[in-house]
Amino acid sequence: MLSPDRLALPDYEYLAQRHVLTYMEDAVSQLLENREDITQYGIARFFTEYFNSVCQGTHILFREFSFIQATPHNRASFLRAFWRCFRTVGKNGDLLTMKEYHCLLQLLCPDFPLELTQKAARIVLMDDAMDCLMSFSDFLFAFQIQFYYSEFLESVAAIYQDLLTGKNPNTVIVPTSSSGQHRQRPALSETSALEGVEASLFYQCLENLCDRHKYSCPPPALVKEVLSNVQRLTFYGFLVALSKHHGINQALGALPDKGDLMHDPAMDEELERLMAQVPGLLTTTTSGTESGCPRTSPRLGSPWRPLHHPRKVDAESDGSTEETEESET
Amino acid sequence: MTPFVPPPGLSCGGSCHEDKARTPTMIPGKYRTNPGRITQSNVNCGLHLVIQTSSVPEKSKFELRLSKDSSFHNRLLQHDIEKNYSSRQGDGRVISPSPRNKPSFVPSTTNMTDLCGLELKSGANSLSAFGDSSIQTPTKSRIRQGCHSAGPNVSGDHVYLGSSSMPAFPVLHRSNEEKILYSDRLTLERQKLTVCPVIDGEEHLRLLNFQHNFITRIQNISNLQNLIFLDLYDNQIEEISGLSTLRSLRVLLLGKNRIKKISNLDNLKSLDVLDLHGNQISKIENVSHLCDLRVLNLARNFLNDVDDLNGLSSLTELNLRHNQITSVRDVDNLPCLQRLFLSYNSISCFEDILCLADSTSLSDITLDGNPIAQESWYKHTILQHMMQLRQLDMKRITEEERRMASIVARKEEEKKRESHKQTLIKEKKRLTICNVARKWDMQQNRVAGGPSSSQDGKDSDVPSQDACQMNGSGTCVYPEETGSLDPVITTALQGLAVIENHLVEVDGDTLFLYGSGALESLDRNWSVQTAGLVTTVSFTFIEFDEIVQVLPKLKIKFPNSLHLKFKETNLVMLQQFNALAQLRRIDQLTIDPQGNPVVNFTLWKYYVLFRLSHFSMQKINGTEVTQNDMIMAERLFGILAHVASSELPQYRLLSLLGEVRKKQFRYLLEGKGKKSGGVSEEGNDSKRLCGENTNRATLNYTTRDFYTEKLEEIKEKKKFCKTYIQDLVKEAAEINMKNESLQKLWPQLFIELVRDAVVEIRNKNSYMKLCLQRITDTK
């Protein structure tokens, strides 16, 4: 986390910018919330666990939406968690509606707003026909762009509208929360002969935006790459291109490449183990003892990208032994 | 069946036998100059019955005799007998001498039946003769003694049918002797007459008999203005005519003719007896002026309906046997009607003769030979509705029968009331459900149109609109239904102005709950038996979130509930099913697509199976759960459970698990802590006990209200934490800054200190002196 930038900013601002404060605040509020439980096994232990889970990206599971969207790391973690948990749904080949995807999202985050899901679905389904079925991967990549870059996209939408109506984009004051008033306009412009805006002009504006933007935005180089392929493009065309660009996916780093989307051997292994228990639910206990094996899977490596198989707190596993070891370290 | 009707094989007197009824006896007493007795004798045994009247003001005695060789045929003997006896039982008068006395005429049935027996006994082997026997027409007293020998039997020899000046008509002359003997009567029966003869010099005739001829037209009698009794029985008359001058006529017998229409009776205002049986009349008409008419015989005609009987204010007897009557109306407009004979018609339901119940004077009715008489309820219904009745189908009504009838009627009434009550309850239930549905719709629309964003609103409008339509059509149907309801119920329903907003109903093993208010019923003290019986709980028109809150209660109050049904409960999310995991056991789950959008999801069933796998569910929405379903469910959501349980930090896990689970979980942790390594047996046991996979327990559902509450709480905490951390960090940063500046300052400081020290000790001697000085100073 230490970087040369550190010295350029006062400590407090630095911490805030790096979202350290967010996590500290959250850690304390979690501590407050669960203080009875936590006091039993020690505050130091709690903080260890907390920051471990932040590093692993498991801290966002079943948390409130305000927390999930609070930092880019949280967003990426959420995307990853969603992918991991429901990859099997995609693998099964089911095509689902926007609402059903929303339900799945809500399983992980009970107050996940419908609006975001709808916007993501709109990228896939092109505005109308919102009740159509979508494949898991289409939805996931569109959702990734929409969710991770949601503030950026709102600004882009505003710029796009201004370009459409012929305003000088350089004078644009980027509204970050006024996307609502732009929504009605596309209907007007779509009827015009030339659809969309000129790509190069659009890029200039976006570059400008990226410089100023305080929220995360896709790397400008990649945006340039996306825009350089076409002369003109529409807003949704841009979003679709973004969502399909594997470079951006890589840069974001939450999800594997599209080709590997259904591939998660460690989880598959885990699933196989779970499946073995299904037919006879009564025999669960015996199979539970075997659960130690996946622990051998890599735990090291980059902080949160790899698939994690951390301690198993689940009653079936004997993971608690490792737990205690960890707490001693 | 009247006992007086001879068995068909024996009744040689003709089929219309009984229908000729009592006409001969009905001659008004006024015209029997000698108040006397009616003597009735059985033809065969010569039984002589004398009816002695005592209470008649005139002290009249009528005598009626049956004579075997009387040329008067007596086809209708039994009726006459019945007549006489019933009369005798009353005030002793067969026919009251004047209309004024009519009200005192109350026939009784007892003795009549007695008589029946007697009559049948005595005449059993000679009914054929019986048929041929005739009733002697009432005569004046002065010819009474001659009844047997001479009687009214006028043989052909006594009558001379001379050829008159008019070629077409024979002229009748009687000898003076005859004239003197029977000055006021003339009998011309069985004379093969085709026309009425001209009767000269007999203006004083009061009684004229043309029975059994072939007369086609009533003629040549207009001069007989004193005629009281005219008998044209068994002729071929097609139209009633030629009677307009016979203003004194009291008895007109036109039975067994070919009359199609009742007409031309306008001037016969004094008519007392009118016999039209055995004709072809299809309508009762032109009789409303006959205010003195007491007996009307219309048996064996073609009548279909009895209607419009106004004006017959003296009618006491109406014979309508052997018609095709289906309904009787207006009978209650006949103030004096006592006997009504409706046997052998087509009356099939009591409603068609309901007017009989309104008549206060009726005492004797026959309805045998009608479809209605076959009904099981026939007798008691009739008796119940006609308390004034003394005789039904020729049988006297006993007190016992009346009592039975009233008991049966009361039972029927109770049954009706019960069913009425049932209907009322049903209707109330329907209205309540309807009301709940309406409330629900309103609520749904409000929720949909309210806080949600425009898009959200648009989407969620769709199902609610459907619901509206559904209920809209429902309410359209309801009024019709109510229209067909018993008016009593409708009025009773109007009393139910206050309609409940919820409904709780236990039907067999199912507990139905409609409307959120119904959930309160779970607080009620249910009897152990009822609670034990209930295996199915059905929720309708209740917000699922509200149901979630009562699930623990449900678990306690209805421990055997295995089947849950949800309809119109706003199940929209998969996670809502998490809430059901807290129940003891569910075998079956039925989620009606109506008002539960979640059912439209492809994954919902698998999610239910996955989340509620510890129940080993048998059926979902009526479909058996297969092993493949279970595997599929696990395949789809197994990882979710795994991630949820294995990747959550321990403190989160603890907070997500409920209180009870927490204990178990802690116990497990401790157990494992002691026995590091293998899984302890107790751990597994307790896990099995708790039933639910712990890795699933983290997937729980907090209702929206609770969740927003929780979010509020979190927000508060966050706010606090934010300031707290802010302060901390600021402090830390400050300390850090101080520290850093100290670090920066420290080397210089150190150098300065060293330099000072070096400067001080540079001159060794002076420093030594100084040191010594310091030592001495201290001493």
Side-chain angles (χ1 to χ4, degrees), chain B residues 345-370:
Chain B
N345 277 292
S346 310
I347 296 161
S348 58
C349 91
F350 184 69
E351 274 65 38
D352 293 335
I353 52 168
L354 202 61
C355 66
L356 301 187
D358 297 331
S359 168
T360 49
S361 54
L362 264 178
S363 63
D364 188 349
I365 288 179
T366 65
L367 282 163
D368 51 311
N370 279 291

Side-chain angles (χ1 to χ4, degrees), chain B residues 689-704:
Chain B
L689 278 177
C690 84
E692 191 181 353
N693 275 344
T694 331
N695 67 358
R696 257 141 244 215
T698 43
L699 296 170
N700 49 25
Y701 176 65
T702 31
T703 62
R704 231 167 296 164

Side-chain angles (χ1 to χ4, degrees), chain B residues 46-65:
Chain B
L47 176 70
H48 212 89
L49 291 166
V50 176
I51 302 164
Q52 186 86 42
T53 63
S54 52
S55 63
V56 194
E58 284 94 339
K59 296 193 173 79
S60 55
K61 258 188 199 169
F62 303 118
E63 187 177 288
L64 182 83
R65 283 185 192 181

